[in-house]
């Protein structure tokens, strides 16, 4: 088939492109970066350079293709104080739907997320709810899979500074919590880091590798059955403390703890790293859903029968390498 892959050569898309080409498909990669053109072509794919916010460009690129993998690019939540990510999602999703219809395409895989069934209570993840509902406007004869991955393992890189004992942990809250869990002797030996969030400890979370997500997308593109469906993707289900122990062992800190903080403390931490008050509230709300289980409620009702092959122990090896580099 002739397949469109959006997302340039990101964490999911690059792996997907390689898989699809090996399977014999002709792949066109949509990227906003001219600098990516040579790398895309070296993989054996065709590069389409332009913005997915440009409906005309997208419609032209989709012509003549049989299938598409559609994703909403990451938003600059912590840099753009005027970001209206809901409206941006509507714009991009509508462009996708128009391009798919104009091309007469019959196979679509849309990257969504756990929590996408929630109009409220999922914080910033509401943009996946918006996108799914726009993709639902496609005609019945268009096969659409809404792929809902669990929490990405690479998001754990956000805690790298905490594990090192930097950033938010330099404040009094971090030091007091560290002392509570490790005792005064721990402070004497040296402040070594602790993971803090308003979800964590014994909270059970489903995690997924981007490699396993790419494999699931390829499976859906190759699937001969039509219709509309939702598919969850996960690699492993672990508590946050189990994650902390695995990462701690990988970096030489087997005592690493993942400790809960209050919602107010979490919101303040988001604001400190550049989020507006509104975005900070929404990220905090998303974490609340992870803590109380509501964000994963539908996932656990419809969890995948087969888990992905890349586990947190595999990710921890990469985490340890980056830990040593910094």
């Amino acid at each position: 088939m002739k397949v469109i892959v959006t997302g340039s050569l990101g964490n999911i898309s690059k792996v997907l492109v390689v898989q699809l080409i090996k399977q014999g498909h002709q792949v066109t990669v949509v990227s906003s970066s001219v600098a990516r053109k040579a790398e895309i072509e070296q993989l054996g794919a065709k590069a389409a350079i332009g913005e997915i916010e440009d409906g005309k460009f997208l419609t032209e690129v989709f012509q003549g293709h049989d299938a598409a993998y559609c994703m909403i690019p990451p938003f600059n939540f912590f840099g753009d104080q005027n970001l209206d990510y809901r409206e941006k999602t509507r714009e991009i999703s509508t462009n996708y739907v128009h391009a798919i219809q104009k091309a007469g395409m019959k196979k679509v895989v849309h990257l969504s997320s756990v929590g996408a069934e929630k109009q409220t209570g999922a914080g910033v993840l509401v943009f996946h709810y918006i996108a799914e509902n726009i993709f639902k406007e496609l005609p019945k004869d268009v096969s659409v899979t809404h792929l809902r991955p669990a929490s990405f393992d690479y998001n754990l890189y956000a805690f790298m500074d905490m594990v090192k004992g930097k950033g938010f942990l330099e404040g009094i809250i971090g030091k007091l919590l560290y002392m509570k869990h490790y005792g005064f002797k721990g402070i004497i030996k040296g402040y070594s880091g602790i993971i803090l969030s308003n979800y964590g400890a014994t909270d059970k979370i489903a995690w997924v590798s981007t490699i396993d997500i790419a494999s699931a997308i390829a499976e859906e593109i190759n699937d001969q059955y039509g219709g509309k469906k939702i598919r969850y993707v996960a690699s492993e289900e672990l508590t946050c403390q189990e994650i902390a122990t695995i990462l701690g062992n990988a970096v030489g800190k087997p005592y690493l703890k993942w400790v809960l903080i209050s919602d107010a403390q979490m919101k303040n931490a988001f604001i400190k790293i550049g989020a507006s008050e509104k975005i900070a509230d929404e990220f905090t709300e998303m974490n609340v859903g992870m803590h109380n289980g509501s964000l994963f409620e539908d996932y656990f009702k419809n969890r995948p029968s087969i888990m992905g092959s890349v586990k947190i122990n595999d990710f921890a090896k990469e985490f340890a390498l980056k830990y040593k580099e910094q």
Side-chain angles (χ1 to χ4, degrees):
M1 290 187 291
K2 292 183 177 179
V3 183
I4 290 283
V5 172
T6 60
S8 190
L9 293 180
N11 291 307
I12 297 172
S13 297
K14 185 174 182 178
V15 179
L16 176 61
V17 169
V18 172
Q19 288 189 22
L20 292 175
I21 290 173
K22 283 183 177 179
Q23 292 167 358
H25 299 296
Q26 296 177 49
V27 180
T28 297
V29 179
V30 178
S31 175
S32 61
S33 173
V34 176
R36 288 286 198 180
K37 185 174 186 295
E39 186 180 358
I40 290 168
E41 292 173 347
Q42 285 172 3
L43 292 176
K46 178 183 177 181
I49 307 301
E51 304 286 343
I52 57 176
E53 292 87 350
D54 182 345
K56 182 179 179 182
F57 160 76
L58 205 63
T59 297
E60 290 174 354
V61 170
F62 274 45
Q63 288 295 318
H65 288 81
D66 305 301
Y69 159 61
C70 301
M71 57 90 70
I72 307 294
F75 296 110
N76 184 16
F77 287 113
F78 300 103
D80 185 355
Q81 293 286 313
N82 298 312
L83 174 67
D84 186 346
Y85 69 89
R86 290 175 175 81
E87 185 54 39
K88 183 66 71 173
T89 298
R90 292 186 188 95
E91 176 190 3
I92 293 171
S93 300
T94 299
N95 286 348
Y96 277 141
V97 167
H98 286 169
I100 290 162
Q101 289 182 287
K102 287 286 185 180
M105 199 176 286
K106 301 301 180 185
K107 173 78 71 173
V108 179
V109 180
H110 161 236
L111 183 66
S112 188
S113 170
V114 291
E117 76 282 1
K118 294 181 174 296
Q119 188 173 9
T120 60
V124 293
L125 294 181
V126 70
F127 77 88
H128 291 295
Y129 171 86
I130 294 169
E132 280 199 12
N133 278 278
I134 291 174
F135 274 90
K136 286 175 183 177
E137 297 173 6
L138 286 166
K140 291 182 179 180
D141 63 340
V142 181
S143 173
V144 181
T145 298
H146 299 288
L147 203 73
R148 292 183 180 177
S151 295
F152 288 20
D153 57 9
Y154 74 69
N155 287 338
L156 293 166
Y157 284 126
F159 298 119
M160 182 77 76
D161 281 349
M162 288 190 184
V163 177
K164 284 178 172 286
K166 297 179 181 179
F168 177 48
L169 292 185
E170 291 169 354
I172 188 65
I173 294 170
K175 285 187 171 69
L176 288 174
L177 283 169
Y178 185 89
M179 196 167 176
K180 175 183 175 182
H181 284 269
Y182 298 133
F184 186 72
K185 289 182 179 179
I187 298 292
I188 297 297
K189 289 180 180 178
Y191 189 46
S192 296
I194 187 172
I195 296 177
L196 299 176
S197 182
N198 62 325
Y199 76 96
T202 59
D203 296 342
K204 191 172 185 179
I205 307 293
W207 304 89
V208 67
S209 163
T210 53
I211 295 172
D212 289 333
I213 296 172
S215 295
I217 295 166
E219 287 175 6
E220 292 301 319
I221 287 173
N222 289 309
D223 187 5
Q224 298 301 310
Y225 297 98
K228 306 287 196 290
K229 70 175 178 178
I230 291 168
R231 175 178 173 178
Y232 285 99
V233 187
S235 306
E236 198 166 14
E237 296 167 2
L238 296 170
T239 68
C240 291
Q241 183 50 52
E242 287 172 331
I243 294 289
T245 299
I246 292 170
L247 296 182
N249 285 333
V251 301
K253 295 182 177 182
Y255 48 80
L256 188 67
K257 299 289 185 184
W258 189 320
V259 179
L260 284 166
I261 60 174
S262 72
D263 296 342
Q265 290 165 349
M266 191 76 258
K267 176 181 175 179
N268 289 335
F270 282 128
I271 290 172
K272 285 181 181 178
I273 60 174
S276 66
E277 185 167 353
K278 181 175 181 295
I279 293 296
D281 279 331
E282 292 181 346
F283 265 100
T284 301
E285 180 183 68
M286 178 185 71
N287 286 358
V288 168
M290 295 177 76
H291 176 52
N292 64 28
S294 61
L295 194 65
F296 286 89
E297 186 176 5
D298 192 66
Y299 163 85
F300 281 112
K301 289 178 181 177
N302 302 282
R303 55 156 54 102
S305 57
I306 300 175
M307 291 288 177
S309 61
V310 183
K311 306 302 182 182
I312 291 295
N313 273 311
D314 301 310
F315 169 77
K317 296 173 184 176
E318 297 178 13
F319 187 92
L321 289 175
K322 289 184 181 293
Y323 184 91
K324 292 174 183 177
E325 290 172 359
Q326 291 187 5

